[in-house]
Amino acid sequence: MAINLVKGQKISLEKIGGRKLTNFYVGANWGAIDKKSFFGGTKKEAVDLDLSVGMYSSDKSLVGCVYFGRLSDSGITHSGDDRTGDLEGDDGLDNEIISVDLNKISSNVEQIVFVLNSYQGHDFATIPFASIRLYEGTPNRVDNVVATFNIASDPKFSGYVSMVLGKLYRRNGEWKFSAIGEPTMDKKLEQTLESIRTKFL
């Protein structure tokens, strides 16, 4: 059964169900916004959320970043930019997916932080069924959901367009995951990456 992540919660990625977890995925799912049209009824407004990863060394220096403009680095791969969200309602599939292979992470990377930004500045509170999940499988198939993080139902994200989801960190030779779940005042990814360095490492 998946864990519903809350702020500060930590889970081990070394052994889940007695097995070592070295390959997993972090996926973001969201919908387009229903807008009232001029002639009555509603129309869909596309939503461009961006799931990204910052990689930091032991001295908190940014040593790598995977996002829609750089799709692969040091064992981490991005599925590509989704600029609309689900236009026909929740299809149950993730719009953007980060693939992680812990065996390929560079030795100088001590912390890997996952962030979500609203590229066009849509308030998180207005975006339907926005959520994050960490799972085993492939980019196209979910075998086992390890943990979920619900964004749309949490009022603390109202008024924000950037948030820090959580981080992988090395501890005694093992990788662990810590949920952060904090919005930031940042408008751009570059600003969010700097906020991570100063506030969340």
Side-chain angles (χ1 to χ4, degrees), residues 34-145:
D34 287 324
K35 286 282 191 178
K36 291 183 178 180
S37 67
F38 182 76
F39 299 102
T42 60
K43 62 179 181 179
K44 293 290 185 179
E45 179 177 317
V47 175
D48 185 359
L49 295 186
D50 292 319
L51 183 63
S52 308
V53 171
M55 291 174 277
Y56 299 84
S57 63
S58 58
D59 67 356
K60 301 183 180 181
S61 297
L62 182 68
V63 294
C65 179
V66 174
Y67 68 112
F68 66 84
R70 181 180 175 84
L71 296 180
S72 182
D73 186 13
S74 182
I76 299 176
T77 304
H78 195 293
S79 61
D81 195 12
D82 185 313
R83 300 180 181 179
T84 64
D86 292 343
L87 296 173
E88 303 299 328
D90 189 0
D91 60 8
L93 303 176
D94 295 317
N95 299 80
E96 293 191 9
I97 300 170
I98 299 288
S99 307
V100 179
D101 185 345
L102 294 177
N103 291 323
K104 295 182 179 179
I105 302 299
S106 296
S107 58
N108 67 326
V109 175
E110 291 292 324
Q111 299 190 70
I112 301 168
V113 187
F114 299 89
V115 302
L116 193 67
N117 296 86
S118 178
Y119 187 78
Q120 295 172 316
H122 287 106
D123 184 336
F124 284 136
T126 68
I127 302 172
F129 56 85
S131 63
I132 304 293
R133 61 183 173 182
L134 188 155
Y135 67 92
E136 296 176 89
T138 73
N140 301 312
R141 186 189 73 248
V142 177
D143 292 338
N144 176 44
V145 178

Side-chain angles (χ1 to χ4, degrees), residues 123-191:
D123 184 336
F124 284 136
T126 68
I127 302 172
F129 56 85
S131 63
I132 304 293
R133 61 183 173 182
L134 188 155
Y135 67 92
E136 296 176 89
T138 73
N140 301 312
R141 186 189 73 248
V142 177
D143 292 338
N144 176 44
V145 178
V146 178
T148 60
F149 191 83
N150 197 316
I151 300 168
S153 65
D154 195 331
K156 75 177 179 182
F157 298 120
S158 178
Y160 293 93
V161 300
S162 176
M163 64 176 293
V164 182
L165 302 169
K167 66 179 181 180
L168 287 164
Y169 62 98
R170 296 186 198 259
R171 180 66 54 84
N172 299 323
E174 295 185 354
W175 284 101
K176 296 182 181 296
F177 183 86
S178 176
I180 295 173
E182 285 291 331
T184 77
M185 297 298 294
D186 307 308
K187 305 298 183 183
K188 303 293 184 181
L189 174 60
E190 295 82 2
Q191 298 168 334

Side-chain angles (χ1 to χ4, degrees), residues 11-32:
I11 60 174
S12 173
L13 295 177
E14 274 301 302
K15 290 186 179 181
I16 294 177
R19 296 176 292 111
K20 288 187 176 181
L21 181 59
T22 57
N23 295 83
F24 63 92
Y25 303 86
V26 175
N29 184 35
W30 70 91

